[in-house]
Amino acid sequence: MSEQKPSKQQPISEVIRARLKASKVRFHANDNIAAHIEPGELDGLVDEVSEKVQALLESLVIDTENDHNTRNTSRRVAKMYVNEVFNGRYVAPPLMIIGPITVRSACSHHLCPIMGRIWIGVLPDKDSALVGLSKYARLTEWVMSRPQIQEEAVVELANMLEQKLKPAGLAVVMEADHFCMQWRGVKDNDSKMINSVMRGEFLENSNLRREFLSLIEKR
């Protein structure tokens, strides 16, 4: 009994297309489909597009073997479209970092000033409702302008931002001086309180969390 020959490998574009259809996800020209592309598949997509661009050049009767100017054109064009010109279709939205936002609040224990800075990290997706940079500052000020303790303030700010933005990931870090310490004669006047809240991808993805924290350290 003769052995069955293995079937030709399915093109990456068909694999991705089938995955999108199975998930009932639209893939129009202006849609981001990054969530449905597996690691390494973009390289395969570049290879596939390169082959098809090469076929186009051959149909245009261009001698790419002997013309040194067009010898690598098919791959250059494929990389340009997948990795640059149409990059917004295939890559997840970039991490946004807002801050430092200078804030002032009041400790509800002693009604003394809390002065500090807040950083906000947002990882949007296609369903996120993003707002302008100035609105982050206004929303932050709105939450902070009331007597409270810092640990609860950052959670309340995170809850409000998560509800409004609906991001794939959210991070809030607050560093502040508590003047009640100085007023009460605490000797270590240089100490600061730091609190953070991580939600979604920032909580689940340690690399993303590490990237955010390393970036705010440089600011």
Side-chain angles (χ1 to χ4, degrees):
M1 186 174 183
S2 60
E3 293 184 4
Q4 187 176 5
K5 293 183 179 179
S7 58
K8 186 179 179 182
Q9 187 175 6
Q10 193 176 18
I12 292 296
S13 64
E14 292 183 13
V15 172
I16 297 171
R17 185 179 290 107
R19 192 179 296 139
L20 288 162
K21 288 182 175 179
S23 301
K24 296 182 179 179
V25 173
R26 197 183 80 164
F27 50 101
H28 290 184
N30 65 334
D31 290 326
N32 180 276
I33 58 173
H36 302 275
I37 297 176
E38 300 293 335
E41 287 184 339
L42 280 188
D43 292 335
L45 195 60
V46 169
D47 293 338
E48 181 183 336
V49 173
S50 178
E51 291 176 6
K52 292 181 178 179
V53 174
Q54 180 62 32
L56 171 65
L57 293 173
E58 290 173 3
S59 294
L60 292 170
V61 198
I62 296 175
D63 184 2
T64 58
E65 289 185 11
N66 298 302
D67 177 8
H68 65 278
N69 289 322
T70 58
R71 189 169 299 144
N72 296 312
T73 291
S74 62
R75 185 152 195 88
R76 284 194 293 265
V77 170
K79 291 173 70 176
M80 177 186 71
Y81 278 115
V82 175
N83 296 332
E84 298 169 357
V85 179
F86 295 162
N87 183 256
R89 297 195 76 235
Y90 309 115
V91 176
L95 166 63
M96 296 171 52
I97 298 179
I98 301 95
I101 301 171
T102 301
V103 294
R104 53 113 176 96
S105 190
C107 173
S108 57
H109 289 170
H110 299 94
L111 301 183
C112 290
I114 298 174
M115 307 293 290
R117 301 182 298 171
I118 283 180
W119 291 265
I120 299 168
V122 179
L123 186 68
D125 62 18
K126 63 183 180 65
D127 297 319
S128 298
L130 299 181
V131 298
L133 288 177
S134 63
K135 198 161 188 180
Y136 287 100
R138 291 199 299 272
L139 291 170
T140 299
E141 182 182 14
W142 178 72
V143 170
M144 292 296 156
S145 296
R146 59 191 76 170
Q148 58 200 319
I149 62 172
Q150 182 173 330
E151 301 95 309
E152 294 176 353
V154 291
V155 172
E156 185 165 351
L157 177 59
N159 289 343
M160 188 266 295
L161 290 172
E162 190 171 34
Q163 182 179 6
K164 283 186 174 295
L165 305 178
K166 296 178 173 57
L170 177 72
V172 178
V173 172
M174 181 174 178
E175 175 190 81
D177 291 304
H178 288 240
F179 283 81
C180 57
M181 294 177 66
Q182 288 90 329
W183 278 24
R184 293 165 58 220
V186 178
K187 291 183 179 180
D188 189 6
N189 292 338
D190 293 329
S191 63
K192 298 179 185 293
M193 179 178 284
I194 301 175
N195 292 93
S196 66
V197 177
M198 303 288 169
R199 302 275 174 82
E201 286 292 323
F202 283 99
L203 186 62
E204 298 165 8
N205 188 330
S206 60
N207 290 329
L208 179 66
R209 185 167 60 251
R210 194 178 302 114
E211 178 187 358
F212 168 71
L213 294 174
S214 67
L215 287 172
I216 69 173
E217 285 176 2
K218 299 174 183 177
R219 298 192 172 202

